[in-house]
Amino acid sequence: MIVILAVLATVAGPRFFNDAAFDERGYYDELVSALRYAQKVAVASGCRVRVDITATTFSLAQQAPAGGHCDPTDASYPVQVRLSTGEIMSGTAPGNVTVAPATSLVFDALGRTNLGANQVFTVGSRSLTVQADSGLVVTP
């Protein structure tokens, strides 16, 4: 009996202390939520929203308003997108998690993206797809 417990502790013990899988899943869910939020903000406000994704961060920014409307010529996206709590919508991956590829994409007022084709992102061992024509964020 003691031998069985020792073998189980040796094999299963490290899994209880390694939180890499939890970190990966948490950041994956955070990125999926941010992409979906960006699309919703673009549709609700009528202003384009840009999502900048690097290997370890993401951030959301919006076009500047001009005369009560969005300035369609604004390519700088100077307005940071905020949550209802007032916090800036951005994120940083835990040290053991990376995203590929690094890119920027823009959601328009109809929720579509500026992508020429569907974009697959990998977050560690997980993947998600942003459909170019509809902006739909697809997860397995």
Side-chain angles (χ1 to χ4, degrees):
M1 182 70 156
I2 294 175
V3 172
I4 293 172
L5 288 175
V7 169
L8 281 173
T10 303
V11 172
R15 291 186 181 189
F16 289 110
F17 300 107
N18 182 356
D19 56 358
F22 296 106
D23 289 345
E24 181 182 297
R25 179 59 194 239
Y27 192 67
Y28 172 83
D29 289 344
E30 189 177 347
L31 182 59
V32 167
S33 295
L35 288 163
R36 290 178 175 159
Y37 187 69
Q39 184 188 38
K40 289 176 181 13
V41 168
V43 170
S45 68
C47 294
R48 291 184 183 122
V49 174
R50 183 181 70 203
V51 182
D52 294 317
I53 300 171
T54 70
T56 58
T57 64
F58 69 84
S59 61
L60 280 60
Q62 197 169 19
Q63 289 178 313
H69 299 286
C70 294
D71 181 359
T73 63
D74 177 23
S76 66
Y77 295 87
V79 180
Q80 294 177 315
V81 173
R82 295 183 179 271
L83 296 167
S84 60
T85 60
E87 294 177 74
I88 294 170
M89 183 60 163
S90 63
T92 302
N96 55 353
V97 178
T98 58
V99 178
T103 190
S104 291
L105 62 107
V106 176
F107 289 99
D108 68 14
L110 297 177
R112 303 173 298 196
T113 71
N114 64 335
L115 299 170
N118 293 351
Q119 178 67 62
V120 177
F121 292 96
T122 58
V123 180
S125 62
R126 303 177 188 288
S127 66
L128 64 102
T129 303
V130 177
Q131 293 183 347
D133 56 346
S134 67
L136 180 67
V137 179
V138 181
T139 59

